Amino acid sequence: MPKTGVAGGGLRFYLTVARMSLRRNLQYRGQHMINNAASAVFGFIYIALWQSVAGSPAAAPGQVGAAVLAHYIAVNQCLLWVTTFDRSGLELAAKVRDGTIGTELMRPVSFFWMQAARIYGIRAYNFVFRSLVLAAVFWLAVGLRLPEGPARLGLTALAWVMAAHVGTMLTYFIGLAGFWTTDVGWMYLSLQMLNMFLGGASIPLHYMPSGLAAFAKLTPFACVGYLPTSVWLGWAGAEALIPMAFWSLVLPLLAAALTKQARRRAEVVGG
Amino acid sequence: MSRTTSPGRSPSTNLWPVLWLLARAGLRERMQYKFSFLASALIRGASIAVDFALVAVILYRFRFVDGWDVFEVALLYGPASAAQGLFRMVGYEIEGFENYLINGTFDSILIRPWPTLFTLLARRMDFNRLGITAQGLVVCALGAAKLVARGQLQAWDLLYIALLPLFGALVLLAVSTFTAALGFWLIRIDELQVFTLYAPLTASYYPLSIYPGWLRGLLFTVIPMAFINYVPVLYLLGKGGGVWALAASPAVAAVACALAYRFWLFAERHYQSTGS
């Protein structure tokens, strides 16, 4: 009987799954570098937009300057690669459709943690070969700086790990939805939309109407964009990690519970 | 496997009746899953509309982006976004052409009695993308209505603006075809498509004057997104350019399509199957 806890396969097993997932992505480094260029262009588009308005006469004196806004967009563009930009959840939904999910469900390890380990592997790859590469591009183009001081650097690293974890859980939910519906593409788009808007990936939340901003900060979407970026830039301290820690604990519990439901629902194509 | 276009395969042979038949069949197929179709169309439209929501929030706070207010920006965003929806509906298989190259299924396209590009276009229309077109048209209509009321646009300008999504869709189809044709050498082109198509398209949602020179240069020449909205709208709003700007959009669309098709015909001669 497959188990649903980490102990179902042992930590070493899940680390191996994550490592293999990372290695598989290494085969496509060249292609990914092209995408990095596109990602940098997206960053430049939003940076240009913000620099244009921050320098306008309508910008009030106390508002965040154009250079800081450029940093915000640049950090977020790097962060999105470890939280949002991968379609691995959709692979899981595809397996439900073609019936190969049966093999996955039969493995004598936790289905949930094995899928999560695969996504972690992709995100580790993305961190090294996408986020760091983009950070270097933005360092050259807009003078992106690392968080100031070792304490801030450590806090930022912790925030990024939690952001990647929350992002992984949200991606897993999309894949899991494949047990209930045939088309999860629109759900993936919805997630991206929420991450971009409520997560503050394109616009700092403090520019939103105050009620909406306050609500957005409590959602898991802010944990994959606005909060970790605010920690990097020094806009927020350790208190920003509280909602992140909350969602980091709650989402895996919810994922495990939904996985149980999905198992009961699974209908495997015979042959 | 290497080949050239077979003689006697005229691009126009039965094209329109087949496309019309396919469109009806495609819509009927999608309507078998009405909820999925409606949800998908709505969400796809809303996900793209986030780009405009972003600029609306920014302009709510700052009023202008390089001298353009929210209604003027709507006239840039709307046609470009509607064009995206039209292109992605018709060019569904071109957009996902990488799969044909990886799986070797392009082999089966080669034996059809039609030019390969038209065979691909006729294989499927994705009506889910109509949501993207619809939200683009709504944003465009809201912006245009306000600009007409302010006297910045004449009523007859609206006729021209209504055609912009069509010109834009042709430019996008040309860029996508060109990128797909590069796949005959590169095989994997999905990532490249983000660079050649989606990033420049997003750039076209905002006034091009805000971008650094190298990016503007790219958008006016190699990837001519400037002509799907910015150049004609600049003239219509009295912000610059001449009457030639109105002719530039359809002209660029026609030339881009012709060049992309020629390049496709050249590139497909270099197709090598998967060998399995």
Side-chain angles (χ1 to χ4, degrees):
Chain A
M1 181 73 180
K3 298 173 185 175
T4 51
V6 179
L11 190 59
R12 186 184 284 183
F13 171 77
Y14 297 108
L15 285 173
T16 305
V17 171
R19 199 166 56 243
M20 297 308 287
S21 178
L22 187 154
R23 279 191 187 165
R24 193 179 60 163
N25 270 268
L26 284 174
Q27 308 300 319
Y28 303 110
R29 267 173 295 182
Q31 305 298 325
H32 294 163
M33 285 302 150
I34 295 171
N35 197 285
N36 282 346
S39 198
V41 172
F42 273 111
F44 291 133
I45 291 167
Y46 293 122
I47 286 170
L49 185 61
W50 277 106
Q51 286 184 326
S52 171
V53 294
S56 76
Q63 280 175 338
V64 178
V68 179
L69 284 170
H71 274 66
Y72 180 89
I73 297 297
V75 172
N76 244 311
Q77 203 65 25
C78 301
L79 182 63
L80 285 169
W81 279 110
V82 294
T83 60
T84 304
F85 285 163
D86 84 69
R87 300 168 70 87
S88 43
L90 274 65
E91 283 177 21
L92 182 56
K95 285 178 182 172
V96 176
R97 276 202 306 278
D98 65 23
T100 49
I101 196 72
T103 314
E104 302 281 326
L105 289 167
M106 278 195 303
R107 293 184 203 280
V109 293
S110 160
F111 175 81
F112 161 54
W113 283 111
M114 196 175 82
Q115 302 304 325
R118 278 183 180 151
I119 304 175
Y120 287 135
I122 294 169
R123 302 221 156 165
Y125 168 87
N126 283 349
F127 176 72
V128 176
F129 291 97
R130 294 188 191 259
S131 297
L132 291 184
V133 173
L134 275 176
V137 170
F138 288 128
W139 171 64
L140 288 170
V142 295
L144 178 67
R145 287 188 302 272
L146 283 174
E148 288 174 2
R152 173 69 53 188
L153 193 61
L155 209 57
T156 303
L158 190 57
W160 271 53
V161 169
M162 283 200 272
H165 175 59
V166 171
T168 298
M169 293 300 116
L170 294 175
T171 305
Y172 177 74
F173 287 134
I174 300 293
L176 209 56
F179 283 90
W180 282 272
T181 178
T182 53
D183 182 10
V184 296
W186 62 273
M187 288 189 187
Y188 175 72
L189 283 174
S190 308
L191 176 63
Q192 277 203 320
M193 190 169 66
L194 290 165
N195 285 344
M196 297 303 275
F197 204 64
L198 289 180
S202 305
I203 178 168
L205 292 183
H206 54 261
Y207 281 113
M208 285 187 172
S210 56
L212 183 60
F215 166 73
K217 284 177 194 173
L218 296 175
T219 66
F221 311 112
C223 302
V224 300
Y226 181 74
L227 293 175
T229 304
S230 296
V231 172
W232 175 309
L233 295 175
W235 294 353
E239 76 282 357
L241 301 186
I242 295 170
M244 297 184 74
F246 172 78
W247 288 114
S248 294
L249 291 172
V250 168
L251 291 181
L253 293 175
L254 188 59
L258 283 172
T259 303
K260 276 186 185 171
Q261 296 294 321
R263 265 187 185 284
R264 292 197 191 113
R265 217 189 139 73
E267 291 173 22
V268 177
V269 179
Chain B
M1 182 188 292
S2 177
R3 66 177 289 280
T4 56
T5 306
S6 307
R9 299 207 303 179
S10 164
S12 59
T13 307
N14 298 326
L15 176 64
W16 298 111
V18 171
L19 284 180
W20 173 242
L21 191 71
L22 181 91
R24 280 170 40 207
L27 191 59
R28 219 170 25 244
E29 177 220 327
R30 294 308 306 170
M31 293 313 285
Q32 301 303 310
Y33 305 95
K34 289 188 181 65
F35 173 76
S36 179
F37 169 69
L38 288 173
S40 181
L42 278 173
I43 293 291
R44 282 177 201 282
S47 67
I48 302 291
V50 164
D51 283 311
F52 187 70
L54 162 72
V55 84
V57 170
I58 292 173
L59 289 172
Y60 170 76
R61 180 69 68 123
F62 295 99
R63 292 187 58 211
F64 294 103
V65 175
D66 208 30
W68 293 64
D69 69 16
V70 70
F71 300 104
E72 292 167 334
V73 174
L75 217 55
L76 292 178
Y77 169 86
S81 190
Q84 183 191 174
L86 288 177
F87 151 67
R88 293 179 78 179
M89 181 179 77
V90 177
Y92 180 82
E93 297 292 343
I94 304 294
E95 201 186 358
F97 185 60
E98 183 183 283
N99 292 331
Y100 284 91
L101 297 168
I102 292 172
N103 301 330
T105 44
F106 189 66
D107 293 4
S108 66
I109 303 295
L110 288 169
I111 58 173
R112 306 287 173 90
W114 235 22
T116 52
L117 188 61
F118 289 92
T119 307
L120 284 169
L121 286 174
R123 286 201 97 188
R124 184 177 172 187
M125 286 194 188
D126 186 9
F127 287 92
N128 289 340
R129 316 299 171 121
L130 281 176
I132 300 173
T133 304
Q135 61 82 34
L137 292 176
V138 168
V139 170
C140 184
L142 291 174
K146 182 72 176 178
L147 293 168
V148 168
R150 286 201 314 218
Q152 273 183 277
L153 279 182
Q154 305 303 314
W156 52 268
D157 291 339
L158 300 180
L159 289 174
Y160 182 85
I161 290 167
L163 291 173
L164 276 180
L166 292 177
F167 305 148
L170 288 173
V171 171
L172 295 175
L173 184 62
V175 173
S176 184
T177 301
F178 192 89
T179 311
L182 288 175
F184 289 115
W185 290 279
L186 303 173
I187 310 297
R188 288 195 175 268
I189 46 165
D190 272 3
E191 309 271 357
L192 181 63
Q193 196 145 248
V194 180
F195 181 77
T196 58
L197 195 66
Y198 296 112
L201 178 65
T202 302
S204 75
Y205 292 160
Y206 312 110
L208 299 196
S209 51
I210 65 173
Y211 300 127
W214 65 267
L215 185 52
R216 266 204 317 272
L218 200 68
L219 297 170
F220 270 93
T221 54
V222 184
I223 307 172
M225 297 293 173
F227 296 93
I228 70 175
N229 55 0
Y230 182 70
V231 169
V233 169
L234 198 68
Y235 171 70
L236 289 173
L237 294 179
K239 289 175 179 287
V243 72
W244 58 266
L246 300 182
S249 278
V252 167
V255 171
C257 283
L259 289 177
Y261 184 60
R262 296 298 303 173
F263 183 63
W264 174 274
L265 292 178
F266 167 73
E268 72 175 345
R269 291 179 201 146
H270 296 82
Y271 172 65
Q272 293 183 324
S273 191
T274 55
S276 59

